[in-house]
């Protein structure tokens, strides 16, 4: 109603529930014959565990998006050329994926922040490996750092941290419209297909942290 665009549709999806992801994908595939663009944009930085037994940040930021992408992949292929844009973060540089304990809260006093960074490393690796597997299909994918954006991402931060963090966010962070520029660039820009699998920041491909270029890990 706010946009005045009758073509905008809302469908319920809770990435903290793999059951919800499957239900959404099933409903979408029944109702919508076309899918040309998937932007995996949801993000959270919070402690806790989901109903599926995974840490909240890792499931919402990565596992839920991963499953959603897999469930919609055949429709993206049939509607090619199409694109997948995965909103990651420069915080991937602090990520450490523990393959024997993937999706469980990391140890230590900064567990929630580490979990967020781990999920963002997984995002970048997801785009890298997905591009490899989709070569020749005209489905391309991109990992994106939108910049540090003043949203409610850290609304679950500890109370003692908010007086320090919130003024910094208002002073130095981008607003939501500015943060949308690089994801929209990867979603709509013509001629970037050759960069499928790459990591973008400031509307151009950039080199991610070395672990994010590890094809074996991906």
């Amino acid at each position: 109603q706010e946009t005045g665009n009758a073509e905008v549709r809302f469908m319920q999806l809770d990435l903290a529930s793999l059951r919800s992801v499957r239900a959404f994908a099933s409903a979408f595939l029944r109702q919508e014959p076309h899918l040309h663009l998937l932007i995996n944009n949801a993000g959270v930085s919070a402690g806790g565990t989901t109903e599926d037994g995974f840490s909240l940040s890792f499931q919402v930021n990565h596992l839920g998006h991963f499953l959603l992408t897999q469930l919609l992949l055949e429709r993206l292929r049939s509607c090619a050329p199409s694109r997948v844009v995965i909103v990651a973060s420069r915080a991937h540089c602090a990520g450490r994926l523990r393959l024997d304990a993937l999706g469980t809260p990391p140890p230590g006093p900064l567990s929630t922040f580490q979990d967020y960074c781990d999920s963002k490393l997984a995002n970048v690796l997801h785009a890298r490996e997905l591009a490899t597997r989709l070569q020749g299909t005209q489905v391309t994918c991109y990992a994106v750092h939108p910049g540090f954006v003043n949203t409610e991402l850290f609304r679950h931060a500890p109370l003692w941290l908010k007086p320090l963090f919130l003024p910094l966010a208002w002073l130095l962070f981008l607003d939501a419209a500015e943060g949308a520029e690089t994801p929209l660039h990867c979603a709509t820009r013509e001629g970037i297909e050759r960069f499928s699998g790459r990591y973008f920041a400031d509307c151009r491909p950039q080199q991610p942290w070395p672990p994010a270029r590890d094809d074996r890990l991906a």
Side-chain angles (χ1 to χ4, degrees), residues 93-124:
C93 67
R96 296 191 302 271
L97 292 185
R98 301 162 299 131
L99 298 183
D100 58 337
L102 205 61
T104 61
L110 298 177
S111 176
T112 298
F113 178 70
Q114 185 62 56
D115 199 34
Y116 177 81
C117 296
D118 295 351
S119 72
K120 293 298 149 183
L121 174 57
N123 288 160
V124 181

PDB file of all heavy atoms in Angstrom, residues 93-124:
ATOM      1  N   CYS A  93      35.966 -11.115   7.217  1.00  0.00           N
ATOM      2  CA  CYS A  93      37.417 -11.216   7.434  1.00  0.00           C
ATOM      3  C   CYS A  93      37.739 -11.785   8.819  1.00  0.00           C
ATOM      4  O   CYS A  93      38.843 -12.295   9.040  1.00  0.00           O
ATOM      5  CB  CYS A  93      38.088  -9.865   7.233  1.00  0.00           C
ATOM      6  SG  CYS A  93      37.649  -8.616   8.450  1.00  0.00           S
ATOM      7  N   ALA A  94      36.792 -11.721   9.750  1.00  0.00           N
ATOM      8  CA  ALA A  94      37.010 -12.278  11.086  1.00  0.00           C
ATOM      9  C   ALA A  94      36.347 -13.638  11.253  1.00  0.00           C
ATOM     10  O   ALA A  94      36.346 -14.190  12.349  1.00  0.00           O
ATOM     11  CB  ALA A  94      36.481 -11.306  12.146  1.00  0.00           C
ATOM     12  N   GLY A  95      35.794 -14.181  10.163  1.00  0.00           N
ATOM     13  CA  GLY A  95      35.104 -15.459  10.247  1.00  0.00           C
ATOM     14  C   GLY A  95      36.057 -16.636  10.347  1.00  0.00           C
ATOM     15  O   GLY A  95      37.155 -16.618   9.792  1.00  0.00           O
ATOM     16  N   ARG A  96      35.626 -17.660  11.069  1.00  0.00           N
ATOM     17  CA  ARG A  96      36.390 -18.909  11.193  1.00  0.00           C
ATOM     18  C   ARG A  96      35.384 -20.060  11.171  1.00  0.00           C
ATOM     19  O   ARG A  96      34.641 -20.232  12.150  1.00  0.00           O
ATOM     20  CB  ARG A  96      37.201 -18.946  12.500  1.00  0.00           C
ATOM     21  CG  ARG A  96      38.277 -17.889  12.596  1.00  0.00           C
ATOM     22  CD  ARG A  96      39.205 -18.165  13.774  1.00  0.00           C
ATOM     23  NE  ARG A  96      38.482 -18.230  15.040  1.00  0.00           N
ATOM     24  CZ  ARG A  96      38.234 -17.187  15.823  1.00  0.00           C
ATOM     25  NH1 ARG A  96      38.652 -15.985  15.453  1.00  0.00           N
ATOM     26  NH2 ARG A  96      37.578 -17.330  16.956  1.00  0.00           N
ATOM     27  N   LEU A  97      35.340 -20.814  10.100  1.00  0.00           N
ATOM     28  CA  LEU A  97      34.377 -21.905  10.008  1.00  0.00           C
ATOM     29  C   LEU A  97      34.958 -23.177  10.618  1.00  0.00           C
ATOM     30  O   LEU A  97      35.983 -23.680  10.172  1.00  0.00           O
ATOM     31  CB  LEU A  97      33.994 -22.144   8.541  1.00  0.00           C
ATOM     32  CG  LEU A  97      33.189 -21.019   7.883  1.00  0.00           C
ATOM     33  CD1 LEU A  97      32.772 -21.420   6.475  1.00  0.00           C
ATOM     34  CD2 LEU A  97      31.965 -20.650   8.711  1.00  0.00           C
ATOM     35  N   ARG A  98      34.281 -23.668  11.639  1.00  0.00           N
ATOM     36  CA  ARG A  98      34.681 -24.917  12.291  1.00  0.00           C
ATOM     37  C   ARG A  98      33.801 -26.025  11.710  1.00  0.00           C
ATOM     38  O   ARG A  98      32.659 -26.207  12.128  1.00  0.00           O
ATOM     39  CB  ARG A  98      34.484 -24.806  13.803  1.00  0.00           C
ATOM     40  CG  ARG A  98      35.290 -23.672  14.449  1.00  0.00           C
ATOM     41  CD  ARG A  98      34.759 -23.299  15.832  1.00  0.00           C
ATOM     42  NE  ARG A  98      33.383 -22.833  15.751  1.00  0.00           N
ATOM     43  CZ  ARG A  98      32.397 -23.278  16.524  1.00  0.00           C
ATOM     44  NH1 ARG A  98      32.626 -24.206  17.440  1.00  0.00           N
ATOM     45  NH2 ARG A  98      31.176 -22.819  16.389  1.00  0.00           N
ATOM     46  N   LEU A  99      34.314 -26.740  10.743  1.00  0.00           N
ATOM     47  CA  LEU A  99      33.485 -27.675   9.992  1.00  0.00           C
ATOM     48  C   LEU A  99      32.933 -28.798  10.863  1.00  0.00           C
ATOM     49  O   LEU A  99      31.879 -29.367  10.560  1.00  0.00           O
ATOM     50  CB  LEU A  99      34.266 -28.255   8.815  1.00  0.00           C
ATOM     51  CG  LEU A  99      34.724 -27.219   7.770  1.00  0.00           C
ATOM     52  CD1 LEU A  99      35.417 -27.905   6.612  1.00  0.00           C
ATOM     53  CD2 LEU A  99      33.548 -26.396   7.276  1.00  0.00           C
ATOM     54  N   ASP A 100      33.618 -29.121  11.958  1.00  0.00           N
ATOM     55  CA  ASP A 100      33.126 -30.182  12.840  1.00  0.00           C
ATOM     56  C   ASP A 100      32.049 -29.682  13.789  1.00  0.00           C
ATOM     57  O   ASP A 100      31.416 -30.469  14.499  1.00  0.00           O
ATOM     58  CB  ASP A 100      34.280 -30.781  13.651  1.00  0.00           C
ATOM     59  CG  ASP A 100      35.006 -29.739  14.496  1.00  0.00           C
ATOM     60  OD1 ASP A 100      34.932 -28.544  14.144  1.00  0.00           O
ATOM     61  OD2 ASP A 100      35.632 -30.111  15.499  1.00  0.00           O
ATOM     62  N   ALA A 101      31.825 -28.373  13.807  1.00  0.00           N
ATOM     63  CA  ALA A 101      30.813 -27.806  14.713  1.00  0.00           C
ATOM     64  C   ALA A 101      30.028 -26.704  14.012  1.00  0.00           C
ATOM     65  O   ALA A 101      29.622 -25.717  14.616  1.00  0.00           O
ATOM     66  CB  ALA A 101      31.493 -27.257  15.963  1.00  0.00           C
ATOM     67  N   LEU A 102      29.783 -26.876  12.715  1.00  0.00           N
ATOM     68  CA  LEU A 102      29.126 -25.848  11.909  1.00  0.00           C
ATOM     69  C   LEU A 102      27.713 -25.593  12.416  1.00  0.00           C
ATOM     70  O   LEU A 102      26.943 -26.522  12.620  1.00  0.00           O
ATOM     71  CB  LEU A 102      29.088 -26.308  10.447  1.00  0.00           C
ATOM     72  CG  LEU A 102      29.000 -25.232   9.374  1.00  0.00           C
ATOM     73  CD1 LEU A 102      30.203 -24.307   9.442  1.00  0.00           C
ATOM     74  CD2 LEU A 102      28.904 -25.872   7.992  1.00  0.00           C
ATOM     75  N   GLY A 103      27.399 -24.325  12.637  1.00  0.00           N
ATOM     76  CA  GLY A 103      26.056 -23.973  13.071  1.00  0.00           C
ATOM     77  C   GLY A 103      25.849 -24.013  14.568  1.00  0.00           C
ATOM     78  O   GLY A 103      24.732 -23.773  15.040  1.00  0.00           O
ATOM     79  N   THR A 104      26.899 -24.291  15.328  1.00  0.00           N
ATOM     80  CA  THR A 104      26.793 -24.230  16.791  1.00  0.00           C
ATOM     81  C   THR A 104      27.471 -22.946  17.275  1.00  0.00           C
ATOM     82  O   THR A 104      28.409 -22.463  16.636  1.00  0.00           O
ATOM     83  CB  THR A 104      27.455 -25.444  17.460  1.00  0.00           C
ATOM     84  OG1 THR A 104      28.850 -25.466  17.132  1.00  0.00           O
ATOM     85  CG2 THR A 104      26.818 -26.740  16.985  1.00  0.00           C
ATOM     86  N   PRO A 105      27.005 -22.383  18.382  1.00  0.00           N
ATOM     87  CA  PRO A 105      27.578 -21.116  18.845  1.00  0.00           C
ATOM     88  C   PRO A 105      29.080 -21.253  19.108  1.00  0.00           C
ATOM     89  O   PRO A 105      29.507 -22.211  19.761  1.00  0.00           O
ATOM     90  CB  PRO A 105      26.813 -20.837  20.150  1.00  0.00           C
ATOM     91  CG  PRO A 105      25.554 -21.613  20.027  1.00  0.00           C
ATOM     92  CD  PRO A 105      25.902 -22.843  19.239  1.00  0.00           C
ATOM     93  N   PRO A 106      29.887 -20.319  18.624  1.00  0.00           N
ATOM     94  CA  PRO A 106      31.327 -20.369  18.895  1.00  0.00           C
ATOM     95  C   PRO A 106      31.601 -20.152  20.381  1.00  0.00           C
ATOM     96  O   PRO A 106      30.829 -19.490  21.071  1.00  0.00           O
ATOM     97  CB  PRO A 106      31.900 -19.214  18.068  1.00  0.00           C
ATOM     98  CG  PRO A 106      30.812 -18.812  17.129  1.00  0.00           C
ATOM     99  CD  PRO A 106      29.521 -19.172  17.784  1.00  0.00           C
ATOM    100  N   PRO A 107      32.696 -20.690  20.892  1.00  0.00           N
ATOM    101  CA  PRO A 107      33.048 -20.454  22.300  1.00  0.00           C
ATOM    102  C   PRO A 107      33.589 -19.040  22.489  1.00  0.00           C
ATOM    103  O   PRO A 107      33.946 -18.359  21.529  1.00  0.00           O
ATOM    104  CB  PRO A 107      34.138 -21.504  22.553  1.00  0.00           C
ATOM    105  CG  PRO A 107      34.765 -21.736  21.206  1.00  0.00           C
ATOM    106  CD  PRO A 107      33.660 -21.575  20.200  1.00  0.00           C
ATOM    107  N   GLY A 108      33.643 -18.611  23.742  1.00  0.00           N
ATOM    108  CA  GLY A 108      34.287 -17.343  24.057  1.00  0.00           C
ATOM    109  C   GLY A 108      33.306 -16.239  24.383  1.00  0.00           C
ATOM    110  O   GLY A 108      32.103 -16.338  24.116  1.00  0.00           O
ATOM    111  N   PRO A 109      33.822 -15.151  24.957  1.00  0.00           N
ATOM    112  CA  PRO A 109      32.968 -14.042  25.406  1.00  0.00           C
ATOM    113  C   PRO A 109      32.333 -13.265  24.255  1.00  0.00           C
ATOM    114  O   PRO A 109      31.334 -12.578  24.454  1.00  0.00           O
ATOM    115  CB  PRO A 109      33.936 -13.150  26.203  1.00  0.00           C
ATOM    116  CG  PRO A 109      35.294 -13.481  25.652  1.00  0.00           C
ATOM    117  CD  PRO A 109      35.242 -14.929  25.271  1.00  0.00           C
ATOM    118  N   LEU A 110      32.916 -13.316  23.067  1.00  0.00           N
ATOM    119  CA  LEU A 110      32.362 -12.609  21.904  1.00  0.00           C
ATOM    120  C   LEU A 110      31.650 -13.577  20.965  1.00  0.00           C
ATOM    121  O   LEU A 110      31.679 -13.411  19.734  1.00  0.00           O
ATOM    122  CB  LEU A 110      33.482 -11.870  21.166  1.00  0.00           C
ATOM    123  CG  LEU A 110      34.201 -10.783  21.965  1.00  0.00           C
ATOM    124  CD1 LEU A 110      35.332 -10.170  21.156  1.00  0.00           C
ATOM    125  CD2 LEU A 110      33.224  -9.694  22.410  1.00  0.00           C
ATOM    126  N   SER A 111      30.999 -14.569  21.539  1.00  0.00           N
ATOM    127  CA  SER A 111      30.381 -15.636  20.759  1.00  0.00           C
ATOM    128  C   SER A 111      29.400 -15.111  19.710  1.00  0.00           C
ATOM    129  O   SER A 111      29.421 -15.536  18.558  1.00  0.00           O
ATOM    130  CB  SER A 111      29.660 -16.616  21.696  1.00  0.00           C
ATOM    131  OG  SER A 111      28.970 -17.602  20.963  1.00  0.00           O
ATOM    132  N   THR A 112      28.542 -14.161  20.088  1.00  0.00           N
ATOM    133  CA  THR A 112      27.516 -13.660  19.163  1.00  0.00           C
ATOM    134  C   THR A 112      28.150 -12.944  17.981  1.00  0.00           C
ATOM    135  O   THR A 112      27.760 -13.155  16.824  1.00  0.00           O
ATOM    136  CB  THR A 112      26.545 -12.713  19.910  1.00  0.00           C
ATOM    137  OG1 THR A 112      25.895 -13.448  20.939  1.00  0.00           O
ATOM    138  CG2 THR A 112      25.505 -12.151  18.961  1.00  0.00           C
ATOM    139  N   PHE A 113      29.148 -12.093  18.256  1.00  0.00           N
ATOM    140  CA  PHE A 113      29.823 -11.381  17.162  1.00  0.00           C
ATOM    141  C   PHE A 113      30.584 -12.358  16.273  1.00  0.00           C
ATOM    142  O   PHE A 113      30.560 -12.243  15.042  1.00  0.00           O
ATOM    143  CB  PHE A 113      30.770 -10.332  17.728  1.00  0.00           C
ATOM    144  CG  PHE A 113      31.536  -9.593  16.667  1.00  0.00           C
ATOM    145  CD1 PHE A 113      30.902  -8.695  15.825  1.00  0.00           C
ATOM    146  CD2 PHE A 113      32.900  -9.827  16.485  1.00  0.00           C
ATOM    147  CE1 PHE A 113      31.608  -8.028  14.828  1.00  0.00           C
ATOM    148  CE2 PHE A 113      33.611  -9.166  15.498  1.00  0.00           C
ATOM    149  CZ  PHE A 113      32.961  -8.257  14.667  1.00  0.00           C
ATOM    150  N   GLN A 114      31.248 -13.339  16.874  1.00  0.00           N
ATOM    151  CA  GLN A 114      31.985 -14.338  16.091  1.00  0.00           C
ATOM    152  C   GLN A 114      31.035 -15.139  15.204  1.00  0.00           C
ATOM    153  O   GLN A 114      31.344 -15.431  14.046  1.00  0.00           O
ATOM    154  CB  GLN A 114      32.758 -15.269  17.010  1.00  0.00           C
ATOM    155  CG  GLN A 114      33.662 -16.262  16.273  1.00  0.00           C
ATOM    156  CD  GLN A 114      34.745 -15.564  15.472  1.00  0.00           C
ATOM    157  OE1 GLN A 114      35.511 -14.783  16.031  1.00  0.00           O
ATOM    158  NE2 GLN A 114      34.805 -15.826  14.173  1.00  0.00           N
ATOM    159  N   ASP A 115      29.882 -15.470  15.745  1.00  0.00           N
ATOM    160  CA  ASP A 115      28.885 -16.210  14.982  1.00  0.00           C
ATOM    161  C   ASP A 115      28.438 -15.412  13.765  1.00  0.00           C
ATOM    162  O   ASP A 115      28.270 -15.957  12.665  1.00  0.00           O
ATOM    163  CB  ASP A 115      27.689 -16.519  15.887  1.00  0.00           C
ATOM    164  CG  ASP A 115      26.828 -17.651  15.359  1.00  0.00           C
ATOM    165  OD1 ASP A 115      27.376 -18.586  14.738  1.00  0.00           O
ATOM    166  OD2 ASP A 115      25.609 -17.617  15.581  1.00  0.00           O
ATOM    167  N   TYR A 116      28.260 -14.106  13.947  1.00  0.00           N
ATOM    168  CA  TYR A 116      27.889 -13.227  12.826  1.00  0.00           C
ATOM    169  C   TYR A 116      28.987 -13.234  11.761  1.00  0.00           C
ATOM    170  O   TYR A 116      28.709 -13.400  10.573  1.00  0.00           O
ATOM    171  CB  TYR A 116      27.650 -11.803  13.347  1.00  0.00           C
ATOM    172  CG  TYR A 116      27.331 -10.816  12.254  1.00  0.00           C
ATOM    173  CD1 TYR A 116      26.047 -10.728  11.728  1.00  0.00           C
ATOM    174  CD2 TYR A 116      28.316  -9.973  11.742  1.00  0.00           C
ATOM    175  CE1 TYR A 116      25.757  -9.819  10.722  1.00  0.00           C
ATOM    176  CE2 TYR A 116      28.028  -9.068  10.737  1.00  0.00           C
ATOM    177  CZ  TYR A 116      26.747  -9.002  10.227  1.00  0.00           C
ATOM    178  OH  TYR A 116      26.453  -8.112   9.222  1.00  0.00           O
ATOM    179  N   CYS A 117      30.224 -13.070  12.182  1.00  0.00           N
ATOM    180  CA  CYS A 117      31.347 -13.061  11.235  1.00  0.00           C
ATOM    181  C   CYS A 117      31.459 -14.397  10.505  1.00  0.00           C
ATOM    182  O   CYS A 117      31.713 -14.432   9.295  1.00  0.00           O
ATOM    183  CB  CYS A 117      32.651 -12.753  11.965  1.00  0.00           C
ATOM    184  SG  CYS A 117      32.709 -11.112  12.715  1.00  0.00           S
ATOM    185  N   ASP A 118      31.263 -15.493  11.235  1.00  0.00           N
ATOM    186  CA  ASP A 118      31.318 -16.817  10.617  1.00  0.00           C
ATOM    187  C   ASP A 118      30.246 -16.954   9.539  1.00  0.00           C
ATOM    188  O   ASP A 118      30.492 -17.503   8.459  1.00  0.00           O
ATOM    189  CB  ASP A 118      31.118 -17.909  11.667  1.00  0.00           C
ATOM    190  CG  ASP A 118      32.243 -17.971  12.687  1.00  0.00           C
ATOM    191  OD1 ASP A 118      33.266 -17.280  12.495  1.00  0.00           O
ATOM    192  OD2 ASP A 118      32.094 -18.703  13.682  1.00  0.00           O
ATOM    193  N   SER A 119      29.044 -16.457   9.841  1.00  0.00           N
ATOM    194  CA  SER A 119      27.952 -16.566   8.863  1.00  0.00           C
ATOM    195  C   SER A 119      28.265 -15.755   7.608  1.00  0.00           C
ATOM    196  O   SER A 119      27.903 -16.152   6.497  1.00  0.00           O
ATOM    197  CB  SER A 119      26.635 -16.099   9.483  1.00  0.00           C
ATOM    198  OG  SER A 119      26.581 -14.694   9.665  1.00  0.00           O
ATOM    199  N   LYS A 120      28.950 -14.641   7.772  1.00  0.00           N
ATOM    200  CA  LYS A 120      29.271 -13.796   6.617  1.00  0.00           C
ATOM    201  C   LYS A 120      30.379 -14.421   5.760  1.00  0.00           C
ATOM    202  O   LYS A 120      30.379 -14.277   4.537  1.00  0.00           O
ATOM    203  CB  LYS A 120      29.654 -12.391   7.092  1.00  0.00           C
ATOM    204  CG  LYS A 120      28.485 -11.650   7.721  1.00  0.00           C
ATOM    205  CD  LYS A 120      27.376 -11.442   6.708  1.00  0.00           C
ATOM    206  CE  LYS A 120      25.997 -11.425   7.265  1.00  0.00           C
ATOM    207  NZ  LYS A 120      24.946 -11.293   6.236  1.00  0.00           N
ATOM    208  N   LEU A 121      31.323 -15.109   6.400  1.00  0.00           N
ATOM    209  CA  LEU A 121      32.311 -15.871   5.630  1.00  0.00           C
ATOM    210  C   LEU A 121      31.606 -16.972   4.837  1.00  0.00           C
ATOM    211  O   LEU A 121      31.908 -17.191   3.652  1.00  0.00           O
ATOM    212  CB  LEU A 121      33.356 -16.473   6.561  1.00  0.00           C
ATOM    213  CG  LEU A 121      34.380 -17.422   5.930  1.00  0.00           C
ATOM    214  CD1 LEU A 121      35.141 -16.741   4.794  1.00  0.00           C
ATOM    215  CD2 LEU A 121      35.344 -17.956   6.985  1.00  0.00           C
ATOM    216  N   ALA A 122      30.646 -17.634   5.468  1.00  0.00           N
ATOM    217  CA  ALA A 122      29.885 -18.672   4.774  1.00  0.00           C
ATOM    218  C   ALA A 122      29.116 -18.087   3.591  1.00  0.00           C
ATOM    219  O   ALA A 122      29.005 -18.726   2.538  1.00  0.00           O
ATOM    220  CB  ALA A 122      28.928 -19.357   5.751  1.00  0.00           C
ATOM    221  N   ASN A 123      28.600 -16.855   3.728  1.00  0.00           N
ATOM    222  CA  ASN A 123      27.906 -16.200   2.621  1.00  0.00           C
ATOM    223  C   ASN A 123      28.814 -16.031   1.402  1.00  0.00           C
ATOM    224  O   ASN A 123      28.417 -16.315   0.265  1.00  0.00           O
ATOM    225  CB  ASN A 123      27.425 -14.806   3.042  1.00  0.00           C
ATOM    226  CG  ASN A 123      26.261 -14.800   4.002  1.00  0.00           C
ATOM    227  OD1 ASN A 123      26.030 -13.798   4.675  1.00  0.00           O
ATOM    228  ND2 ASN A 123      25.517 -15.881   4.088  1.00  0.00           N
ATOM    229  N   VAL A 124      30.025 -15.539   1.638  1.00  0.00           N
ATOM    230  CA  VAL A 124      30.955 -15.288   0.529  1.00  0.00           C
ATOM    231  C   VAL A 124      31.345 -16.605  -0.146  1.00  0.00           C
ATOM    232  O   VAL A 124      31.397 -16.704  -1.375  1.00  0.00           O
ATOM    233  CB  VAL A 124      32.203 -14.522   1.017  1.00  0.00           C
ATOM    234  CG1 VAL A 124      33.146 -14.239  -0.151  1.00  0.00           C
ATOM    235  CG2 VAL A 124      31.798 -13.206   1.688  1.00  0.00           C
TER     236      VAL A 124
END
